[in-house]
Amino acid sequence: LGVWRNAGPGRRTLGVSAERKSPQLVEITSTALLAAENSRYEQVFTIYGSGELVIEIRLEPSPGLPEIPRIGMQMTIPAEFSEVTWFGRGPHETYEDRKSGAAIDFHLMEVGQLFTDYSKPQENGNRTDVRWVKFTNDEGMGLWAFGMPLLNFSASHYPQSELERARHAFEMKRIDEIVV
């Protein structure tokens, strides 16, 4: 599945367009070719006057490529949005092949509590079958994401590059921001 490892970071943008659909609605479309045999990738961002943002992703993998391990997005948000509330499986980490022992319920944790400290640093802290997740600050302001119908999420003070670089947990460099 290695062809997919750098498919996103190695993508070549073909174009970006913005269209004002109404006074309260803007649609931005970004089209790219992924580094995975020029697979076509499109993101459509629909922005409403209310502040709501809907993101659609379309992927057309080139023929003959291996299974896609996952499709997703990654972003960094300010450290102040460290309270995480979600409705989905938890409270411990879950993955598609390891989730039946986790209740679908409302869960609340600080970002640091989502981290699972394995002896060798690796991806961790995922939550599956999530209907919605929100990241808030002390005043209750923040980001609220909804699955359509479901999503997975993880959040950490360690970028993926640190989890891949370090051989031991003490070697990782923590950042203040939150990687979602």
Side-chain angles (χ1 to χ4, degrees):
L1 306 179
V3 68
W4 295 110
R5 181 179 242 4
N6 294 311
R11 71 185 173 271
R12 182 169 52 94
T13 301
L14 298 177
V16 177
S17 65
E19 182 180 354
R20 186 176 191 162
K21 301 275 191 174
S22 75
Q24 303 83 18
L25 178 69
V26 175
E27 188 175 275
I28 300 170
T29 304
S30 170
T31 307
L33 290 180
L34 299 182
E37 305 294 325
N38 292 321
S39 297
R40 190 172 178 84
Y41 181 79
E42 183 179 82
Q43 293 177 305
V44 179
F45 299 86
T46 305
I47 306 166
Y48 295 88
S50 64
E52 182 178 353
L53 169 66
V54 175
I55 303 170
E56 295 177 70
I57 297 173
R58 298 182 191 109
L59 173 62
E60 296 173 26
S62 297
L65 290 175
E67 179 183 346
I68 302 168
R70 70 175 166 206
I71 300 171
M73 299 178 66
Q74 187 176 91
M75 65 181 161
T76 304
I77 61 175
E80 71 179 284
F81 301 108
S82 63
E83 186 171 283
V84 185
T85 309
W86 74 96
F87 182 60
R89 294 202 183 265
H92 55 276
E93 72 175 0
T94 58
Y95 290 87
E96 285 303 311
D97 61 348
R98 196 171 79 75
K99 65 182 184 180
S100 62
I104 296 174
D105 204 347
F106 293 96
H107 303 282
L108 170 66
M109 289 186 170
E110 291 291 317
V111 167
Q113 295 175 296
L114 298 172
F115 186 80
T116 302
D117 191 10
Y118 290 110
S119 57
K120 181 186 182 321
Q122 59 187 291
E123 178 182 322
N124 70 84
N126 191 63
R127 302 309 195 267
T128 58
D129 297 341
V130 174
R131 280 71 175 159
W132 56 261
V133 58
K134 63 181 175 177
F135 297 86
T136 54
N137 63 13
D138 292 339
E139 289 80 43
M141 299 295 292
L143 169 71
W144 200 342
F146 292 85
M148 295 172 75
L150 302 173
L151 59 90
N152 288 354
F153 84 92
S154 63
S156 172
H157 290 288
Y158 298 99
Q160 186 69 32
S161 58
E162 278 300 295
L163 297 173
E164 293 174 2
R165 180 195 63 78
R167 295 186 63 180
H168 305 283
F170 71 87
E171 297 173 329
M172 293 190 305
K173 293 182 178 92
R174 183 186 188 279
I175 62 171
D176 289 332
E177 295 83 11
I178 300 164
V179 179
V180 179

